[in-house]
Amino acid sequence: VECSSADEALAAAAAGADIVLLDNLAPQELHVAAAQVKAAYPGVTVEASGGIVLETLPQFLGPHIDVVSMGCLTHSAPALDFALRV
């Protein structure tokens, strides 16, 4: 479940979400929210996403973050024009 605050993340976990995606949070806010989710629901996977690039990645890593999504890996990928004939 995509969440933009600690309250939303806790509500999603309480409702049975297996994975809580904390989206577009500043690193400090992210770590506080992730710690709250893990304290209340240790089995929930916490994912960080939104605006994370290679240069800022270390700021988003922490003991309560299980997964980091980085759209920058695909945003600049070149396109390949090809055809498949059967």
Side-chain angles (χ1 to χ4, degrees), residues 11-86:
D18 295 323
I19 302 172
V20 172
L21 184 147
L22 295 169
D23 195 25
N24 292 314
L25 298 179
Q28 266 189 325
E29 187 181 3
L30 169 76
H31 294 298
V32 169
Q36 291 175 347
V37 171
K38 286 293 191 174
Y41 304 95
V44 171
T45 299
V46 175
E47 179 176 354
S49 183
I52 303 170
V53 295
L54 291 174
E55 293 78 19
T56 62
L57 176 60
Q59 299 171 25
F60 291 89
L61 303 176
H64 306 294
I65 306 299
D66 300 304
V67 178
V68 176
S69 295
M70 297 175 56
C72 67
L73 297 175
T74 57
H75 292 167
S76 60
L80 175 64
D81 186 15
F82 71 95
L84 178 63
R85 297 175 194 246
V86 180

